[in-house]
Amino acid sequence: MDFKKLLAYQKSFELAMFIFEISKSFPKEETYSLTDQIRRSSRSVSANIAEAYRKRIYPKHFTSKLTDADGENSETNSWLDFALACNYLDKEKHLELTELGIEVGKLINYMINNPSKFGVKVE
């Protein structure tokens, strides 16, 4: 199976693209701070999921990369909180993006807790 068919990958990619579109409206002075950070962390979730899937023949690497994805997902959530606090996002959009991030986190944790379902040889 292609990593792009993983639900965790698809949902995290969707979240990263939503964040990309929304962050276009962030103030210019945030370009090299909040905007850059939230885009990087949100994109890193998908990239780490892809890398984890390709490293599934190495169980510890699989888990390690998924743990990185989960950490980046949490970082993204933190940046969303800053965007809300700075009034760059309204509460409704913040909630929508946060809930999608929670869903992504659950999917990542499912992969971590059920590696054999993703082709990892568990001893």
Side-chain angles (χ1 to χ4, degrees):
M1 177 167 80
D2 181 17
F3 67 85
K4 291 180 181 179
K5 293 184 180 177
L6 295 169
L7 188 56
Y9 178 87
Q10 293 170 358
K11 293 285 185 176
S12 63
F13 190 90
E14 178 184 11
L15 177 59
M17 292 308 298
F18 283 149
I19 287 171
F20 173 72
E21 288 301 323
I22 288 168
S23 65
K24 287 179 180 179
S25 67
F26 290 179
K28 206 66 163 153
E29 65 265 15
E30 292 288 5
T31 299
Y32 301 107
S33 51
L34 178 62
T35 304
D36 184 54
Q37 292 291 343
I38 196 169
R39 286 179 179 178
R40 285 174 181 256
S41 65
S42 65
R43 291 171 178 170
S44 188
V45 178
S46 301
N48 278 300
I49 291 169
E51 192 172 346
Y53 189 71
R54 288 293 179 227
K55 292 192 173 192
R56 65 192 182 280
I57 62 170
Y58 307 107
K60 290 181 181 179
H61 284 124
F62 178 80
T63 302
S64 176
K65 293 314 286 182
L66 288 176
T67 301
D68 290 346
D70 196 37
E72 294 291 341
N73 191 49
S74 293
E75 180 181 339
T76 299
N77 185 262
S78 178
W79 291 121
L80 287 170
D81 290 346
F82 278 107
L84 176 66
C86 294
N87 296 313
Y88 303 151
L89 288 179
D90 62 37
K91 288 181 183 180
E92 185 178 311
K93 186 52 75 175
H94 176 268
L95 181 62
E96 176 186 337
L97 296 173
T98 299
E99 286 178 350
L100 184 52
I102 290 168
E103 182 181 0
V104 168
K106 288 177 181 179
L107 291 166
I108 292 168
N109 281 293
Y110 181 81
M111 291 177 73
I112 291 169
N113 293 325
N114 299 279
S116 63
K117 293 186 178 190
F118 299 93
V120 177
K121 302 276 190 254
V122 181
E123 297 176 8

